[in-house]
Structure formats: C-alpha cells, structure tokens
Amino acid sequence: MYNESPEMIKMLVRHGNSFALILDKPVLELLNVDPARPVAISTTDGKSLLVAPLSGAKKKTAKRTRPRQRPRRRAGKTRKHMMKAISILSIGALAAISAGCLSTRRSVSATGERYPWKKDIVTTVFWIGEKPSANNPVPNRISSWDKNWSRSYGGFDDPNPAHRRNLIPVKFTPRQNPFYCALPYNDKAATGHRPEAPRVVPWFKEAYQGPGVSTCKDRWVAIRKGNRTVYAQWEDAGPFRTDYWQYVFGNERPKTTLNRGAGLDVSPAVRDYLGLNETDVTDWRFVEFSEVPRGPWSTLGENNTFVISDRKTGSELAQASKPAEDRAIAP
C-alpha cells in the first residue's frame, strides 16, 4: 500500500491545474542548487524522488538592457523570482517518475472502491440462534451489539436447506436483514469504544453517534465467490476473535491456528446465494451504501438501510402530497 508522509503532504500546494512541491531556501542551499541552473529529478526505487543539480549544465545569463550599475534592489528581486520559479516543481512533471508508486491509488480511485478486497479468506457459516459447539463456543442468541439478537431477528435462523425457502426460514419472516456476517473485531468496550477504534475504523468519525453506539454494526460488506457477489450487513464480531483490527482494517491475514484460518462468518442466506460449502473460501471488502445494488439483501429488516431509506422516502412523499389533497377537498 502506498503511504504518504505528513511532511510531504504539507509541502504539496496547488499550482494552476496541478500541484507543486515547494523547496525551501535551506533545502536549496543544502543541495547546492543554483536557481539559475537546471536540476535533475529521478527515482531509484519508484518510491522516492531524487533532486540534484546538473553539474555539467552551463549557467544561463539573462540578456541585459543596462549592463552597468543595475540597481541592487532589482537584482535581488530578480534573483528572488528565479529562486521561486525553480523551487516550484510541477507535479505534472513528476508524474512520470512517480507513476509506479501512485498506480495503486489511481486504480482504486478509477473504480470508485474506497476499500480493497480481502482475497482468499476462509469463510464459515453461522446463524442466529446457533447453539455452542467446538467451532462456535459462544451461543448466537446474543451478538456483540445486541443482547436480544434472536428476539430482534424474530426467531431461529434455521440453516437446514429443507427448512428454508427464498433464502429465509419457512417458519417466519425475519425482522432483520437475513444477509448478515461477522468479522473478528468489536469497536465497543465495556464503556465507550476501544481506545484504538477512532484511529483504525476508517469511518469512525462520520459514523459516531455517542459512546453507547457501535460504528461497525450494520456496515455493508461485499462478499464474492467466483462471478457472484452478495451484499451483507455486519452484525456480530467473530469468528473467535473480537480484537483483530490488524486484519479487518489492515493488511494482516487471519491466523491459521483457529479453524483453518477462518476470517469471515456468513449467514445461511449468504451461503445459499453464493452456493458455499459450510467451510469455503471467498473474497470480501467493505462498501459504501451508495455502492450496494438492489437485490434480495435489500428487502427485509428493521436494520436494513434500504428499508429505512424507502420508508423515509415514502413518509416524505406522503407529507408532501397531504397539503395538495387538503386543498383539493377544501370547499
């Protein structure tokens, strides 16, 4: 991943339609750069820029209209302007040199993906109401963020395919999104949030609603297997761990010591949509709600962003049409 140092970021300023790199006078003196001579810009590893004076270049002299006794003030001003001109290195000129280290960022921007894919992740199936077992020591009647998870959902999310129809249990209609998943991190602590949460959760600041509310619950996740992609909401912390932010938000891989390195739990609805085995391998990444298309994951659930948005839109339309109806029946 390409990392930018804070110092470099502070030195980039807008210059016309591009950005520029400002070299302060002490830096010029340190490099022995003469403002009247060109400099060479190069890179040796595709990550760092090297700026050095051209030792063999001849100094260019300005054409003088008054060869004698030019005022000292004018000379100083001219030198100042020349120094400013050579100190501003257009990022457009540096683009070819730094293309290697910027290519990843540009490709992400071009596809609109804020978060990268986590590839080849061992994926297991879990369900609301699951009883404790060797691979799942904690019963799923509760979640990390809902003490009454089974009740909130509406019942036991039976994983038996014979007891399911249209991706949901046959006995009841879930009151929460049946497309849910778990990742091994919980941003909540006994009181407030974990100390690292504001630093490691990318959307923490924009999603923060107070010390009692998780910024991770209900977040949308894209999960793919082959050429099929499903979208689910993050509703629990696991498998096994609840503190593994280095994997969930960073570049680490799941530890192989637990359940063959499982790093993602998915619901029976996700399993059935992707055609997964009870233990399989998938890719996943976080997505913004604006990236999630309509599908079977957008129809059910009090916690479902689609359902909430549709109800809000319907309420606003009803409020807007009411005055018009009142005017129509007024005597």
Side-chain angles (χ1 to χ4, degrees):
M1 182 177 292
Y2 177 71
N3 294 318
E4 300 162 307
S5 68
E7 293 79 11
M8 181 59 72
I9 292 174
K10 292 178 182 178
M11 293 175 68
L12 295 179
V13 298
R14 185 171 293 280
H15 183 61
N17 292 327
S18 302
F19 289 87
L21 179 65
I22 304 299
L23 299 182
D24 295 330
K25 185 176 179 180
V27 176
L28 294 177
E29 294 175 348
L30 178 65
L31 297 176
N32 195 27
V33 171
D34 188 331
R37 288 193 175 96
V39 294
I41 305 171
S42 61
T43 181
T44 58
D45 56 4
K47 298 180 180 179
S48 304
L49 293 177
L50 303 178
V51 181
L54 286 178
S55 58
K58 294 183 178 180
K59 182 176 180 179
K60 296 182 180 180
T61 56
K63 183 178 180 181
R64 298 187 178 186
T65 56
R66 295 181 182 179
R68 295 180 181 179
Q69 297 182 348
R70 171 169 289 189
R72 183 179 297 274
R73 183 181 62 83
R74 289 284 298 173
K77 188 174 182 180
T78 301
R79 181 178 177 83
K80 182 179 179 181
H81 288 171
M82 292 177 68
M83 180 174 289
K84 182 177 181 181
I86 197 169
S87 299
I88 300 177
L89 304 177
S90 172
I91 292 302
L94 301 179
I97 298 173
S98 57
C101 58
L102 293 178
S103 60
T104 300
R105 294 176 67 234
R106 286 175 178 169
S107 63
V108 170
S109 177
T111 58
E113 295 178 359
R114 179 179 175 185
Y115 309 104
W117 285 97
K118 308 277 188 180
K119 296 183 178 180
D120 300 322
I121 302 300
V122 175
T123 303
T124 53
V125 181
F126 81 132
W127 52 92
I128 296 173
E130 181 180 4
K131 295 180 180 179
S133 65
N135 288 334
N136 180 46
V138 180
N140 287 333
R141 295 187 302 272
I142 64 176
S143 76
S144 292
W145 304 309
D146 188 348
K147 293 181 179 180
N148 299 301
W149 199 20
S150 290
R151 184 182 303 174
S152 299
Y153 189 72
F156 170 54
D157 194 18
D158 194 337
N160 188 337
H163 301 160
R164 303 181 69 83
R165 187 177 299 114
N166 297 326
L167 303 173
I168 62 174
V170 296
K171 291 186 177 181
F172 67 99
T173 299
R175 293 199 294 263
Q176 290 191 348
N177 194 345
F179 290 82
Y180 54 88
C181 66
L183 291 167
Y185 182 74
N186 180 7
D187 63 330
K188 290 288 284 91
T191 57
H193 294 82
R194 291 181 184 269
E196 79 280 353
R199 175 174 54 89
V200 302
V201 179
W203 54 80
F204 186 90
K205 184 177 180 180
E206 63 193 66
Y208 184 77
Q209 299 181 45
V213 181
S214 169
T215 63
C216 297
K217 185 180 185 299
D218 298 330
R219 195 75 188 186
W220 284 94
V221 177
I223 307 166
R224 71 184 179 191
K225 175 70 174 180
N227 61 356
R228 289 180 69 82
T229 301
V230 70
Y231 297 84
Q233 288 182 270
W234 186 4
E235 299 300 334
D236 197 10
F240 295 100
R241 296 182 61 172
T242 62
D243 60 348
Y244 202 7
W245 62 265
Q246 295 90 339
Y247 153 65
V248 176
F249 303 114
N251 296 321
E252 287 194 15
R253 298 284 299 179
K255 304 297 184 183
T256 58
T257 54
L258 296 175
N259 200 18
R260 292 189 288 176
L264 173 66
D265 273 341
V266 299
S267 70
V270 172
R271 173 200 66 187
D272 296 343
Y273 186 88
L274 292 179
L276 301 178
N277 297 315
E278 295 305 306
T279 299
D280 216 314
V281 176
T282 66
D283 306 330
W284 71 269
R285 75 177 184 92
F286 293 117
V287 289
E288 302 291 351
F289 174 58
S290 59
E291 299 177 70
V292 183
R294 292 278 179 174
W297 47 80
S298 64
T299 59
L300 295 174
E302 299 293 330
N303 64 322
N304 193 319
T305 319
F306 283 99
V307 174
I308 296 170
S309 178
D310 289 345
R311 286 180 178 175
K312 182 179 179 180
T313 301
S315 176
E316 291 174 348
L317 290 175
Q319 291 294 329
S321 63
K322 193 174 187 304
E325 294 174 357
D326 293 342
R327 289 194 299 271
I329 62 176

